[in-house]
Amino acid sequence: MKKLIKAGMLGIGNVGRGTYQTLEMNRQKIYETTGLDIEIVKILNRSPEKDRGIYVPPEKYTQNVDDILNDPEIDIVIELIGGIEPATEYMARALSNGKSVVTANKAALAANGSKLAKIAQDNHVLLRFEAAVAGGIPILTSLTTALLSNRFTEVHGILNGTTNYILTQMSENGTPYEEVLRDAQAKGFAEADPTADVEGFDAANKLSILMSLVFGIGAGPDIIPTVGITSVGQEDIRYASENGYRIKLLASAKEENGKVYGNVEPALVPVSHPLASVGNEFNAVFVSGNAVDNLMFYGRGAGPLPTGSAVLGDVIGIARNLEKNSAYDLVPQLRFDSELEYAGEGSNKYYIRMMVPERAGVLGKIASMFGDYGISIEVMQQKAPYEVNGEAAASIIFIVYEVEKSKLIEALDAIRKEGVILSIDNIMKVE
Amino acid sequence: MKKLIKAGMLGIGNVGRGTYQTLEMNRQKIYETTGLDIEIVKILNRSPEKDRGIYVPPEKYTQNVDDILNDPEIDIVIELIGGIEPATEYMARALSNGKSVVTANKAALAANGSKLAKIAQDNHVLLRFEAAVAGGIPILTSLTTALLSNRFTEVHGILNGTTNYILTQMSENGTPYEEVLRDAQAKGFAEADPTADVEGFDAANKLSILMSLVFGIGAGPDIIPTVGITSVGQEDIRYASENGYRIKLLASAKEENGKVYGNVEPALVPVSHPLASVGNEFNAVFVSGNAVDNLMFYGRGAGPLPTGSAVLGDVIGIARNLEKNSAYDLVPQLRFDSELEYAGEGSNKYYIRMMVPERAGVLGKIASMFGDYGISIEVMQQKAPYEVNGEAAASIIFIVYEVEKSKLIEALDAIRKEGVILSIDNIMKVE
């Protein structure tokens, strides 16, 4: 029952190379365990003169995307160009031409997933994208197959390896942010322009996709409150540690009473929580379902081979059903039709770090004003006095019980107007 | 495209109840996300008078298995009786009758998986068993779908919640084994007869299944070297902790040069390893593939609802393809056809705890005899003197570099014959 499956690949950057290499390494093993012989027969390569670090027979390269999108022998198109356009247009054309599509492109999916899923369904082909969230970790496959019998209540992800590497190094070695960032860039964990990573935009794209799979809602990265890691200082890391927490950039969403709350933000995670021990460039996704309870998936969220593993897993899954896609397998993984409603960031426990003048009555005033706004204090901790503009000052943190962020900001604004604080230096969610 | 799928269930103990409850809770959600309406229409219940703690319409119960195995309306049989027989016979009959089978029965699969997989394939139906290994954790689905593009190099599992609970409590609270076991029995984490758990037999069944999926080999639990946790003492836990390890009952297998080595044994796991922080009744599976690198899956390995989640995930997976099972989906998950060969326990680092007389020259003698056998010592640690039979004695541990266990035993026998040791109190693998 040997069957040759022909795939075309758009782009041969890091992930494309990893996908091609993984297939070269394991083509025989895949054939032995599935009966499927998969070949990448054509590759869109706009810079064929560039050294890709692997051997690809030159006749596989084309500079014309139509050679792949219009080739009747190609059943599966692997889109690895990245970016929203022209990737979206190419995927739409492939799907319309009756080809299933595998992509690692979180930006295009977060922007146009709904449109692409519809085209796939109309054309009775599949759109798969395991590699788009958490790289090699099989989280999307698990959510949409083995865990499908659950109603999910929450999902929390460390979805960006660059920021997790930076926070881990800052935390373990006390290295300042700028220095770790330079080191991460040198090691290839951070890009020359690190904005998309360190500002949380990459994680927001992935959270948008996860929320669609887990809760069936469409919340684009443009409406997901997103805070990056640039405001996290050594002082925050020390305070967190002293109170039993580690700081992680979390992409989180939870369902409560028909509403879905979710955002991307550096958060204090209790050291006993499985996510707290996910270090360096590793990713993890923690998910709770009403039957399965708590699960965590841990692994490499990036890198050519781990991402290639996920891309090829999707290719194999599609290839297995190419002869006749079951109508029930054609149900899109991306869903936007649930009755749940996205409602922003919601209520959380928060950590606030501020500087206050070293004066009698200041703490009492702040505490009582929090009280006026119905905000209860769990932890208050003051550090040895500093000097700010010639005045004795103290660094103080509060951890306050569940409150809406807008209400917290309102209270802090009022406290600021009373003149009892010098500065508010950071606000972070506490899990 | 709504479709009603009728399933029959054999047995309604803990897992059966959890499966039924999960479907009751989430039937609507499953329908909304897949278009499949699944109903458990008949249940084999040999003690209908027994209170199952849930409401099941009495007309669903039957005491005659033929009512399910021979019902042409039933497409999927869920086997949750447990034990090797009559479960194997019932599954074989269901498969022969053209029904797909979902089971949580690790003992029957470890004993008869090869036979059952063959019957399934001959009859063009599916045999699925996600719930048989690590309960709600979707490890088998991941290995056989999203991760299929990898050649796996190793797998390590904490696959038994009872023993992990006992070891965690012994370690965190210093509670003696017997007391924790009684506590675990009271909490429902351990059975009245805990043999299958504490002696490692349950974990060996699961390892046998994992090795078939990961390496394609058939190594039954009867040939897997298996050591339980009853020999683990507080002294071992302390020594391990002082040297940066936690003790976990690990089911492990690795591939080296065409041979697969694997066993079940309490092992010293470095505290920095993700498996070290898996506490109490939780399970975890750590797996390495040649593309995806290291992954860990963490969650509940037992309990009615988590196991029910896995059972229903398999039911949904089968139901999606009922109209026409793709030939490539019919490839059995259990494989016994690879060219790899099972070769027992292999070489490992080992921890050895012994009592020696407090006499000059004893340590030198032991160390040099290890050397004679080509065994290198990494750690040697001696504790405050004891008195054994009126003689001053010391407790000593060694951690030795990779050696075959048989060679280690040979060396220890020789050392024992020299009269320089009073007793060998424990030997454990070091990961």
Side-chain angles (χ1 to χ4, degrees):
Chain A
M1 64 180 193
K2 178 162 174 170
K3 183 173 177 184
L4 181 64
I5 307 286
K6 293 184 179 174
M9 189 162 86
L10 311 183
I12 183 155
N14 273 334
V15 178
R17 178 167 56 82
T19 300
Y20 195 86
Q21 276 183 313
T22 302
L23 183 57
E24 290 291 295
M25 279 196 305
N26 297 336
R27 186 169 168 182
Q28 181 64 21
K29 189 264 177 179
I30 294 167
Y31 168 61
E32 283 167 12
T33 45
T34 63
L36 296 162
D37 187 29
I38 294 167
E39 187 180 351
I40 294 173
V41 294
K42 277 185 204 161
I43 300 172
L44 178 67
N45 180 3
R46 291 265 161 82
S47 313
E49 70 291 349
K50 196 167 160 186
D51 179 14
R52 305 298 185 171
I54 49 165
Y55 173 73
V56 175
E59 65 272 19
K60 292 199 174 187
Y61 284 140
T62 173
Q63 295 191 59
N64 182 354
V65 72
D66 293 338
D67 288 348
I68 293 172
L69 300 184
N70 297 334
D71 183 339
E73 296 225 314
I74 289 178
D75 284 315
I76 302 172
V77 172
I78 304 169
E79 185 283 304
L80 301 174
I81 303 173
I84 296 177
E85 290 295 357
T88 299
E89 182 213 324
Y90 292 168
M91 287 194 273
R93 284 179 54 202
L95 295 166
S96 300
N97 284 354
K99 302 181 193 311
S100 287
V101 167
V102 175
T103 180
N105 191 329
K106 55 246 171 204
L109 288 167
N112 298 310
S114 166
K115 188 177 106 183
L116 292 169
K118 172 98 175 47
I119 302 174
Q121 201 172 26
D122 289 347
N123 288 278
H124 298 273
V125 289
L126 298 167
L127 171 66
R128 290 286 183 269
F129 42 88
E130 179 63 82
V133 178
I137 301 174
I139 179 66
L140 305 191
T141 302
S142 295
L143 289 170
T144 54
T145 61
L147 300 176
L148 200 51
S149 64
N150 286 270
R151 222 177 255 280
F152 298 104
T153 51
E154 52 186 301
V155 59
H156 304 271
I158 295 174
L159 300 178
N160 182 275
T162 306
T163 48
N164 202 47
Y165 177 81
I166 293 174
L167 290 173
T168 304
Q169 292 296 318
M170 285 175 70
S171 166
E172 289 184 357
N173 308 323
T175 322
Y177 171 80
E178 292 74 16
E179 197 177 312
V180 186
L181 176 59
R182 277 195 304 272
D183 167 48
Q185 285 167 325
K187 284 191 174 145
F189 294 156
E191 303 195 33
D193 175 1
T195 313
D197 292 325
V198 301
E199 297 299 347
F201 305 144
D202 174 74
N205 279 329
K206 292 167 179 171
L207 180 63
S208 170
I209 296 170
L210 270 182
M211 286 202 287
S212 168
L213 268 73
V214 168
F215 298 117
I217 62 167
D222 49 320
I223 65 164
I224 297 173
T226 300
V227 179
I229 64 163
T230 53
S231 69
V232 179
Q234 283 299 342
E235 209 168 350
D236 298 312
I237 290 172
R238 271 196 305 274
Y239 272 123
S241 171
E242 286 169 21
N243 287 282
Y245 295 98
R246 289 202 188 116
I247 298 176
K248 295 287 174 190
L249 182 66
L250 285 194
S252 300
K254 62 183 172 188
E255 190 261 309
E256 272 170 21
N257 304 317
K259 295 201 166 148
V260 176
Y261 303 97
N263 73 337
V264 174
E265 176 174 4
L268 279 71
V269 179
V271 289
S272 60
H273 192 285
L275 284 171
S277 45
V278 176
N280 288 315
E281 75 276 21
F282 280 88
N283 279 21
V285 182
F286 184 92
V287 59
S288 295
N290 68 347
V292 77
D293 198 57
N294 294 336
L295 285 173
M296 192 176 81
F297 300 74
Y298 164 99
R300 293 199 177 269
L305 293 180
T307 313
S309 160
V311 169
L312 277 179
D314 278 342
V315 171
I316 294 169
I318 291 170
R320 278 180 155 174
N321 283 289
L322 264 186
E323 283 147 79
K324 174 179 175 301
N325 285 312
S326 149
Y328 301 95
D329 254 352
L330 289 171
V331 174
Q333 294 184 326
L334 285 170
R335 289 172 49 235
F336 308 93
D337 58 351
S338 86
E339 285 170 13
L340 301 173
E341 185 193 331
Y342 179 65
E345 186 160 343
S347 294
N348 294 285
K349 281 173 74 170
Y350 284 99
Y351 157 101
I352 309 114
R353 175 164 63 86
M354 52 175 75
M355 290 295 276
V356 302
E358 185 87 324
R359 244 189 274 144
V362 163
L363 288 190
K365 184 69 191 169
I366 296 172
S368 82
M369 287 192 72
F370 272 137
D372 294 345
Y373 281 82
I375 298 170
S376 304
I377 296 166
E378 183 189 87
V379 171
M380 202 286 293
Q381 195 183 349
Q382 178 173 349
K383 284 279 167 175
Y386 295 69
E387 193 167 300
V388 176
N389 301 328
E391 192 188 7
S395 163
I396 292 189
I397 63 144
F398 294 91
I399 294 177
V400 299
Y401 286 105
E402 300 244 320
V403 59
E404 283 197 22
K405 185 129 171 219
S406 57
K407 187 137 191 194
L408 175 65
I409 299 288
E410 207 183 313
L412 289 171
D413 278 346
I415 294 170
R416 201 195 312 250
K417 284 190 191 123
E418 286 289 310
V420 291
I421 54 179
L422 299 171
S423 61
I424 293 170
D425 299 323
N426 211 349
I427 303 174
M428 284 186 282
K429 191 161 69 167
V430 178
E431 284 299 333
Chain B
M1 65 180 192
K2 180 162 174 168
K3 182 173 178 184
L4 182 64
I5 307 287
K6 293 183 177 174
M9 190 162 85
L10 312 182
I12 182 155
N14 273 334
V15 178
R17 178 166 57 80
T19 301
Y20 196 86
Q21 276 183 310
T22 301
L23 184 56
E24 289 291 295
M25 279 196 306
N26 297 337
R27 186 169 167 181
Q28 180 65 23
K29 187 264 178 179
I30 294 167
Y31 168 62
E32 284 166 13
T33 44
T34 63
L36 296 163
D37 188 30
I38 295 167
E39 187 179 351
I40 294 173
V41 294
K42 277 184 204 162
I43 300 171
L44 178 67
N45 179 4
R46 291 266 161 79
S47 313
E49 69 291 350
K50 197 167 159 186
D51 179 15
R52 303 298 183 170
I54 49 165
Y55 173 72
V56 175
E59 65 273 18
K60 292 199 174 186
Y61 283 139
T62 174
Q63 295 189 58
N64 182 354
V65 73
D66 293 338
D67 288 347
I68 293 172
L69 301 184
N70 298 334
D71 183 339
E73 297 224 313
I74 289 176
D75 285 314
I76 302 172
V77 172
I78 303 168
E79 185 282 305
L80 301 173
I81 303 172
I84 296 177
E85 290 296 355
T88 298
E89 183 214 325
Y90 292 169
M91 288 193 273
R93 284 180 52 204
L95 295 166
S96 301
N97 284 353
K99 301 180 193 312
S100 287
V101 167
V102 176
T103 181
N105 192 329
K106 57 243 169 207
L109 288 167
N112 298 310
S114 166
K115 189 177 106 183
L116 291 168
K118 172 97 175 48
I119 301 174
Q121 200 171 26
D122 289 347
N123 288 277
H124 298 275
V125 289
L126 299 166
L127 170 67
R128 290 288 182 269
F129 42 89
E130 179 63 82
V133 179
I137 301 174
I139 179 67
L140 305 192
T141 301
S142 296
L143 289 170
T144 54
T145 60
L147 301 176
L148 199 51
S149 63
N150 286 270
R151 225 176 253 280
F152 298 105
T153 51
E154 52 184 301
V155 59
H156 305 271
I158 295 174
L159 300 178
N160 182 275
T162 306
T163 46
N164 202 46
Y165 178 81
I166 293 173
L167 290 173
T168 305
Q169 292 296 316
M170 285 175 71
S171 166
E172 289 184 357
N173 308 320
T175 322
Y177 172 79
E178 294 74 16
E179 198 177 311
V180 186
L181 176 59
R182 278 195 304 274
D183 167 48
Q185 285 167 326
K187 285 190 173 146
F189 294 156
E191 302 196 34
D193 176 1
T195 313
D197 291 324
V198 300
E199 297 298 349
F201 305 145
D202 173 74
N205 279 328
K206 293 167 178 170
L207 180 63
S208 170
I209 295 170
L210 271 182
M211 286 201 287
S212 168
L213 267 74
V214 169
F215 298 116
I217 62 167
D222 49 322
I223 64 163
I224 296 174
T226 300
V227 179
I229 64 163
T230 54
S231 69
V232 179
Q234 283 298 341
E235 211 168 345
D236 298 311
I237 290 173
R238 269 195 306 273
Y239 273 122
S241 171
E242 287 168 20
N243 287 283
Y245 295 98
R246 291 202 186 114
I247 298 175
K248 297 286 173 191
L249 182 66
L250 285 195
S252 300
K254 62 184 171 188
E255 190 260 310
E256 272 169 20
N257 304 320
K259 294 200 168 152
V260 176
Y261 303 96
N263 73 337
V264 174
E265 176 174 5
L268 279 71
V269 180
V271 290
S272 60
H273 193 285
L275 284 171
S277 46
V278 175
N280 288 313
E281 75 275 22
F282 280 88
N283 279 24
V285 182
F286 184 93
V287 59
S288 296
N290 69 345
V292 78
D293 198 56
N294 295 338
L295 284 173
M296 191 177 82
F297 300 73
Y298 164 96
R300 292 198 178 272
L305 293 180
T307 314
S309 160
V311 168
L312 278 179
D314 278 342
V315 170
I316 294 168
I318 292 170
R320 280 180 154 173
N321 284 289
L322 264 186
E323 283 146 80
K324 174 179 173 299
N325 284 313
S326 148
Y328 301 94
D329 253 352
L330 289 171
V331 174
Q333 295 184 323
L334 286 170
R335 290 172 48 235
F336 307 93
D337 58 351
S338 86
E339 284 170 16
L340 302 173
E341 184 193 331
Y342 179 65
E345 186 160 344
S347 293
N348 294 287
K349 280 174 74 170
Y350 284 99
Y351 156 102
I352 309 113
R353 176 165 61 87
M354 52 175 72
M355 292 293 279
V356 301
E358 185 88 325
R359 244 189 275 143
V362 163
L363 287 189
K365 183 71 191 165
I366 296 172
S368 80
M369 286 192 71
F370 272 136
D372 294 345
Y373 281 82
I375 298 170
S376 303
I377 297 167
E378 182 189 85
V379 171
M380 202 286 294
Q381 195 183 349
Q382 178 172 349
K383 284 277 167 176
Y386 295 70
E387 193 167 301
V388 176
N389 300 328
E391 190 188 9
S395 164
I396 291 190
I397 64 145
F398 293 92
I399 294 177
V400 299
Y401 285 104
E402 300 244 322
V403 59
E404 282 197 23
K405 186 129 170 219
S406 58
K407 184 134 194 198
L408 175 65
I409 298 288
E410 207 183 313
L412 289 170
D413 278 348
I415 295 171
R416 202 196 312 253
K417 282 191 192 122
E418 286 290 310
V420 292
I421 55 178
L422 299 171
S423 60
I424 292 169
D425 299 323
N426 211 350
I427 303 173
M428 284 186 283
K429 190 162 69 169
V430 178
E431 284 299 336

